[in-house]
Amino acid sequence: MTKKLFIETLGCAMNVRDSEHMIAELNRIDNYTITQNPSEADLILINTCSVREKPVNKLFSEIGQFVKTKKQNAKIGICGCTASHLGSEIFKKAPEVNFVLGARNVSKIKDAIRQDKFISIDINYDDSEYAFGEFRANPYKAYVNISIGCDKKCTYCIVPFTRGKEISIPHELILKEAEKASKNGAKEIFLLGQNVNNYGRRLSNGNKDEFNFSKLLNALGKIDEVKRIRFTSPHPLHMDDEFLEEFANNKKVCKAMHMPLQSGSTEILKAMNRGYTKEWFLDRAKKLKYLVPNVSISTDIIVGFPGENDKDFEDTMEVLNEIRFEQLFSFKYSPRPLTDAAKMMNVVDDEIASKRLTVLQNRQTQILDEIVKKYEEEVKEVYFEELRSNGMVAGRTFENSVVNVEAGEELLGEIKKVKITKAQRSSLFGEICG
Ligand code: SAH
Ligand code: SF4
Ligand code: F3S
């Protein structure tokens, strides 16, 4: 009889890939198959995110819910970034939890399920060359890790404390994985790392890789079956000319760039330890728009970082108005344990931070309403990757806009020309035209 796994994945794409690794490993060693129903599972995994406080607070009430409804002998495992930084505290607060596996330790899932109260949270554990099994939640889009951890130490961010120092995966392994995935039908390769354009600085043996990120993109572009390349997250500091030119000239690299601004104020950027100024960010965004006139730029912004005054916030609004991002992920600053910013005393009043978030988001809504109009009546190449419950199939344009078309699953995995008939803020609608 096969065993059943219920897995909940929070956080970023790196967690999605870690979950895929664990699913593959559990299937390989114990024949686990996935269930969407936690009450019939033999193993319940929560792959956690720690980047802001709210989901961490919700974790324990969620464990409580699972304890009430689970099968009697079902195990519960807590994995990911919250596991890394709370460690054995999780057993104390929730004694029903059977094992705790940090974000950098997912390859130890095989030991974790055999041993009660197993814990492994070593953020320097190196599984960067571990050969995982094969499982992809979406067979059309292959997530491929290119580095693990992060060396940056932005003062607000817990990630370096949950995923450890930055280690690049040798380019030969990345190319091999991309080749395999694309031969299996994934026309799109999605490269993952916290700081992808810093790729190649340190392998697990301490040496540099022969390839930097631009060279890696170039080599990936030469694989016939790979039709599209995306990546997340690049860092604005490492957006040098070589990288922007490769991004512009490589025909397979999708023309959507994530440029996480965080703040438009040079003072605040300094306090955040981001390593760039407002001027550098604007200069890079302008160069990018010059090289790729139809580029779609997305960003992350934090409001209410300690010390942020009205003038600092105005600087952020200025960048928002000048660059006109096509997607904005915006957050109210959330103090995180272990970080330097959590010790800063010049806290911004919560009401002021909330107001700034509303001003920022309202302005972005206006900008988006103006931007999306340009897509109406245009013809776009769409790669279809997801069946929707409302009888539509969704895909993405080269610039990363979501497009919905009334059609069936025969479109999945296909790249088609689509005429855009309706453009809304969050998605476009269209008809196949070739
Ligand atoms: N490596 C990526 C970020 C990963 S975390 C980068 O450098 O862009 C994703 C986003 O969460 C960050 O870009 C930031 O905007 C937000 N974030 C991180 N820590 C936060 C905190 N303490 N409070 C609020 N937002 C935070
Ligand atoms: Fe966090 Fe900064 Fe590293 Fe991104 S670059 S993961 S924000 S420390
Ligand atoms: Fe969250 Fe960890 Fe990713 S904190 S955003 S799951 S790296």
Side-chain angles (χ1 to χ4, degrees), residues 10-16 18 47-52 80-82 103 157-159 162-163 194:
L10 307 165
C12 64
M14 260 142 286
N15 260 15
V16 174
D18 288 346
N47 197 4
T48 56
C49 173
S50 222
V51 86
R52 284 168 290 277
C81 288
T82 306
C157 184
I158 198 169
V159 173
T162 65
R163 289 195 181 253
Q194 286 300 351

Side-chain angles (χ1 to χ4, degrees), residues 150-154 156-157 159-160 194-195 235 262 274:
C150 181
D151 279 348
K152 280 280 180 273
K153 294 258 160 67
C154 301
Y156 52 80
C157 184
V159 173
Q194 286 300 351
N195 195 359
H235 195 295
Q262 312 301 357
R274 288 290 286 176

Side-chain angles (χ1 to χ4, degrees), residues 189-355:
I189 299 296
F190 205 128
L191 306 174
L192 299 180
Q194 286 300 351
N195 195 359
V196 284
N197 50 342
N198 195 37
Y199 173 79
R201 297 291 163 98
R202 189 198 304 116
L203 298 169
S204 62
N205 63 11
N207 295 340
K208 280 191 177 183
D209 194 277
E210 259 172 81
F211 282 21
N212 63 10
F213 190 55
S214 304
K215 282 221 176 85
L216 183 66
L217 290 177
N218 196 277
L220 283 162
K222 292 191 175 128
I223 302 174
D224 270 352
E225 291 83 358
V226 173
K227 305 296 177 205
R228 291 186 170 197
I229 303 166
R230 293 189 199 277
F231 50 82
T232 198
S233 309
H235 195 295
L237 178 65
H238 302 297
M239 293 193 178
D240 54 19
D241 287 353
E242 184 195 359
F243 166 63
L244 293 185
E245 278 156 21
E246 179 62 34
F247 177 87
N249 298 333
N250 189 323
K251 298 252 177 323
K252 296 199 179 161
V253 172
C254 294
K255 299 308 179 234
M257 183 78 91
H258 189 56
M259 288 188 75
L261 171 67
Q262 312 301 357
S263 168
S265 152
T266 296
E267 281 301 304
I268 296 295
L269 287 169
K270 204 165 163 199
M272 287 175 162
N273 193 29
R274 288 290 286 176
Y276 54 86
T277 59
K278 177 188 184 187
E279 289 69 33
W280 167 262
F281 187 94
L282 288 173
D283 175 76
R284 296 292 90 190
K286 279 180 195 156
K287 171 118 198 192
L288 177 61
K289 284 185 173 189
Y290 168 75
L291 292 172
V292 189
N294 63 338
V295 68
S296 156
I297 306 182
S298 57
T299 200
D300 292 354
I301 291 176
I302 298 175
V303 298
F305 184 82
E308 183 188 71
N309 60 29
D310 287 342
K311 170 76 186 63
D312 296 315
F313 180 62
E314 264 170 44
D315 280 331
T316 300
M317 291 300 290
E318 254 177 54
V319 179
L320 192 83
N321 284 317
E322 198 163 333
I323 305 301
R324 294 171 71 82
F325 300 105
E326 294 210 15
Q327 224 182 343
L328 164 70
F329 301 92
S330 51
F331 315 99
K332 208 157 64 165
Y333 167 70
S334 163
R336 309 303 298 123
L338 308 170
T339 62
D340 284 348
K343 297 174 206 120
M344 294 177 185
M345 306 299 280
N346 44 355
V347 177
V348 172
D349 187 78
D350 189 57
E351 220 172 286
I352 294 177
S354 298
K355 268 194 196 137

